[in-house]
Amino acid sequence: MRHNLATGLRKRARSDPMAAYDRLPSAARAWVARAALPWSAVSVARIWARALRETESVDAALARLDSAEARTLERDRMDRSGGCVEGESGSARERRAAPPR
């Protein structure tokens, strides 16, 4: 059921996730297929386009995607461990644990 049909506000454009996936280059689609995390095609396309713009190399773009995934996995690991990482100083843990201002 649709509500607020009488509003004059612009509607947010909704994209088709499968169409976005289909628009990815074959190398990027292959990367998504073997990725450890469920990446959106829009996120992959953004990282891919920027890497190609900066390096003009498919291998560098794939490396950038691997790096982004590694950072995300590390951030998730730190969140699950309470932010304590071996070899990290106490002040770094405290900065991360401090509530945002």
Side-chain angles (χ1 to χ4, degrees), residues 24-25 27-28 43-53 58 61-62 65:
L24 288 174
S43 295
V44 171
R46 185 180 312 117
I47 294 167
W48 184 267
R50 184 173 183 182
L52 283 182
R53 193 172 51 248
V58 170
L62 290 170
L65 287 168

Side-chain angles (χ1 to χ4, degrees), residues 46-86:
R46 185 180 312 117
I47 294 167
W48 184 267
R50 184 173 183 182
L52 283 182
R53 193 172 51 248
E54 293 174 0
T55 66
E56 298 181 6
S57 167
V58 170
D59 290 333
L62 290 170
R64 184 84 55 97
L65 287 168
D66 287 337
S67 175
E69 183 165 58
R71 283 192 312 271
T72 304
L73 288 168
E74 178 64 20
R75 189 171 51 239
D76 182 55
R77 185 179 72 80
M78 289 175 57
D79 287 346
R80 290 175 187 263
S81 69
C84 185
V85 177
E86 185 177 331

